[in-house]
Amino acid sequence: MLGIIGAMDIEVEALYERMTETEVRTIAGMEFHKGKLEGTEAVVVRSGIGKVNAGICSQILADCYHVTEIINTGVAGSLKAEINIGDIVLSSTAVQHDVDAGVFSYPPGEIPGLGIREFPADEKLLALAKECCERVNPEIQVFTGRVASGDQFIDSKEKKTRIHDTFDACCTEMEGAAIAQAAWLNKIPYLIIRSISDKADDSAHMDYDVFEAKAAANSVRLVTAMAKALSH
Ligand code: SAH
């Protein structure tokens, strides 16, 4: 069973529409849509925004649906000049940019006691995503790199530069690393797929409103192609 998480309606609605044999169950206020996506058994869910929602949602996928992989689909702010609006970033690893226990000598992003700073994504899902993306989204660029998540909408050059310089991350958003952490704790392979809606700078809010839907659609197209490939 494949688990697919999007934070917002716009990131998952098109997936619900493509599903067949759907059964919906509400847990913790989240609607879990279980059925078939392009022939693959899948549960698609809108987690809500932020790391706590995303972590809770992932744990429910693990406990109640015994998912074998988790994909996080959605939009994000770019942290690098060469990564443009519409392009896709696939996670190599994910880190929480708002975790700071530096006073105890932990590096930025590392949660005390966990023994790991960033959570590695699954190589097989990554390879599949790259291959599918080049096929279904040929007009955009696809990058693989670190995803930095935190409970903040990043909308200034100053905040963007801090995250980029501290973590050398490709994009920033508000859920991915929480899903990655939950996946790591539960030993479930995961991948974050994010299409760029804005550049996380002073024009982020304006760009986000304009490009959110198009960016979300690029990510959905890729996830759909991956579900199809997984059904074979
Ligand atoms: N428009 C929504 C709020 C969106 S918050 C509302 O009014 O309720 C932004 C969402 O997009 C989050 O889910 C986050 O993961 C992602 N995102 C896109 N660009 C981002 C940025 N620059 N900083 C942080 N998150 C971003």
Side-chain angles (χ1 to χ4, degrees):
M1 178 83 67
L2 170 65
I4 301 174
I5 302 176
M8 303 178 285
D9 282 331
I10 199 161
E11 294 166 332
V12 289
E13 266 169 350
L15 294 171
Y16 296 159
E17 282 164 21
R18 295 186 81 100
M19 290 179 88
T20 56
E21 302 167 39
T22 311
E23 283 169 35
V24 182
R25 194 172 149 203
T26 304
I27 308 170
M30 301 169 195
E31 276 185 9
F32 291 79
H33 293 235
K34 176 170 153 299
K36 283 197 167 169
L37 180 65
E38 305 290 317
T40 291
E41 295 272 353
V43 197
V44 181
V45 53
R46 183 197 69 178
S47 62
I49 291 169
K51 293 195 301 175
V52 175
N53 281 326
I56 290 171
C57 185
S58 306
Q59 193 60 46
I60 295 169
L61 285 178
D63 291 344
C64 303
Y65 293 94
H66 308 289
V67 294
T68 46
E69 298 98 5
I70 298 178
I71 294 178
N72 174 213
T73 173
V75 300
S78 167
L79 296 174
K80 292 190 189 277
E82 67 272 25
I83 307 180
N84 297 316
I85 289 174
D87 288 348
I88 283 190
V89 174
L90 306 171
S91 59
S92 52
T93 68
V95 66
Q96 291 170 48
H97 68 68
D98 54 357
V99 168
D100 178 3
V103 70
F104 304 109
S105 322
Y106 291 95
E110 183 164 335
I111 296 160
L114 219 49
I116 185 170
R117 180 193 190 208
E118 49 182 328
F119 307 97
D122 182 62
E123 295 286 340
K124 274 192 227 147
L125 287 173
L126 188 55
L128 180 66
K130 267 189 212 164
E131 178 207 314
C132 291
C133 199
E134 279 155 19
R135 191 154 37 81
V136 298
N137 287 320
E139 73 289 359
I140 62 174
Q141 305 183 90
V142 52
F143 296 87
T144 302
R146 194 170 290 124
V147 174
S149 314
D151 283 322
Q152 297 158 19
F153 186 82
I154 303 304
D155 61 353
S156 76
K157 193 156 186 292
E158 193 193 341
K159 292 185 211 163
K160 172 181 177 170
T161 305
R162 183 196 74 85
I163 296 171
H164 175 267
D165 293 357
T166 310
F167 300 100
D168 189 28
C170 286
C171 70
T172 186
E173 37 80 313
M174 301 172 70
E175 299 83 17
I179 293 167
Q181 182 180 339
W184 182 79
L185 289 169
N186 289 282
K187 300 190 170 54
I188 299 170
Y190 87 91
L191 181 69
I192 302 167
I193 298 172
R194 293 280 176 164
S195 180
I196 301 303
S197 53
D198 61 89
K199 304 211 85 173
D201 56 12
D202 301 82
S203 39
H205 185 206
M206 220 168 63
D207 287 342
Y208 178 92
D209 285 342
V210 177
F211 297 110
E212 179 198 47
K214 186 173 176 285
N218 287 347
S219 191
V220 160
R221 199 173 305 121
L222 173 51
V223 173
T224 308
M226 287 177 75
K228 191 167 183 180
L230 287 170
S231 75
H232 297 319

